[in-house]
Amino acid sequence: MDLPRSFVIRERDHRIHNPFTAAKLATLGRALRLRPGTTLLDLACGSGEMLCQWSHAHGVTGTGVDISTVFVDAARARAVELGVAGRVAFVHGDAATYTAEVEVDVAACVGATWIGGGVAGTIGLLERALRPGGLLLIGEPFWRVDPPDEATVTACHATAREDFHDLPGLVALFGRLGFDLVEMVLADEDSWDRYVAAQWLSVRRWLDAHPDDELAGELRAELDTAPLRYVRYQRPHLGWGVFALMRR
């Protein structure tokens, strides 16, 4: 049970596996008014930067769960680096089936709503671990501009236009599911660049070091097309944000 090697190669140098900078993550932590002792469950936590950074800055405690052995190891190392290893823990496992032992103040799935088959299903997974009156955090893409054709949809990693809402549609969905939207921090073009463009350098350096690897041909072909595909399609059309919700 692990992520494909190609994904890990692309994002091996990332601390945040979403189009979010450290500054935006810090802004979100301040916006949520986190207090020492706040408990957090982060499903599909990646390299654990959100939990580690917020534990360091705000005294948050909690658990992160991720399917990648590489990212979980990185999260544990980051916790030691920031001096918070006694307050946070990271579990290698399937976030879709993880069962929390106790209810938490904040339950998050930032950028991986596929674990619940979409926004609604993922909210259902998170609510199982959330104390009454707690916060849900959902990180989700949305259309900044309506995609004009199928090429744009495909280049934005969607199987159909309906895979993503526009921003008003996403906010309306939260309401239909019975939640108040109480905070949000959105990605901008710079944070998208830092997430996506950083992958190109990671891939290129990996290719230089592993020219005979079985994945070299696939990743070389990807690097030939990825930058133009990103600036032509994804950068102008796709948004992303983290949304804080509370049950009505």
Side-chain angles (χ1 to χ4, degrees):
M1 183 174 59
D2 215 323
L3 285 176
R5 282 181 65 222
S6 57
F7 187 97
V8 174
I9 290 166
R10 284 185 211 100
E11 301 199 12
R12 62 185 178 148
D13 296 316
H14 286 51
R15 282 184 174 165
I16 301 171
H17 301 277
N18 290 298
F20 232 38
T21 61
K24 285 189 176 290
L25 193 58
T27 295
L28 180 62
R30 291 191 299 269
L32 297 177
R33 307 169 199 175
L34 299 170
R35 294 178 173 83
T38 297
T39 54
L40 190 153
L41 174 65
D42 188 4
L43 296 182
C45 67
S47 295
E49 187 67 11
M50 183 171 75
L51 187 51
C52 289
Q53 187 182 120
W54 288 357
S55 185
H56 182 260
H58 304 287
V60 166
T61 66
T63 302
V65 183
D66 201 86
I67 199 171
S68 169
T69 53
V70 172
F71 296 161
V72 167
D73 286 345
R76 290 169 178 160
R78 182 63 165 157
V80 172
E81 179 184 2
L82 292 181
V84 298
R87 294 200 295 263
V88 301
F90 294 96
V91 176
H92 174 242
D94 184 355
T97 60
Y98 181 79
T99 301
E101 295 181 0
V102 295
E103 293 181 333
V104 297
D105 301 312
V106 182
C109 179
V110 176
T113 56
W114 49 265
I115 68 169
V119 171
T122 301
I123 285 175
L125 292 178
L126 294 173
E127 274 207 293
R128 296 187 310 191
L130 191 67
R131 69 163 179 80
L135 281 170
L136 290 180
L137 298 182
I138 292 286
E140 182 71 1
F142 56 86
W143 295 118
R144 291 179 58 195
V145 178
D146 191 44
D149 50 37
E150 190 62 30
T152 304
V153 171
T154 301
C156 291
H157 306 291
T159 58
R161 187 181 314 233
E162 294 73 25
D163 285 355
F164 307 139
H165 296 81
D166 61 11
L167 185 55
L170 185 57
V171 172
L173 174 62
F174 297 145
R176 290 196 301 273
L177 293 172
F179 288 87
D180 289 323
L181 175 62
V182 296
E183 257 296 357
M184 67 180 190
V185 177
L186 304 184
D188 55 23
E189 290 181 337
D190 178 65
S191 50
W192 268 111
D193 293 347
R194 298 283 40 81
Y195 172 57
V196 178
Q199 297 175 26
W200 310 333
L201 182 57
S202 294
V203 168
R204 174 54 196 266
R205 286 182 169 164
W206 182 89
L207 285 168
D208 289 347
H210 303 88
D212 299 321
D213 191 278
E214 62 182 1
L215 288 178
E218 173 189 331
L219 291 177
R220 177 66 258 177
E222 178 182 302
L223 188 57
D224 288 344
T225 59
L228 180 58
R229 185 172 64 249
Y230 169 66
V231 299
R232 176 175 287 166
Y233 297 112
Q234 191 171 345
R235 196 175 194 266
H237 291 94
L238 197 60
W240 193 87
V242 181
F243 305 89
L245 311 175
M246 296 182 71
R247 174 64 75 182
R248 288 175 179 163

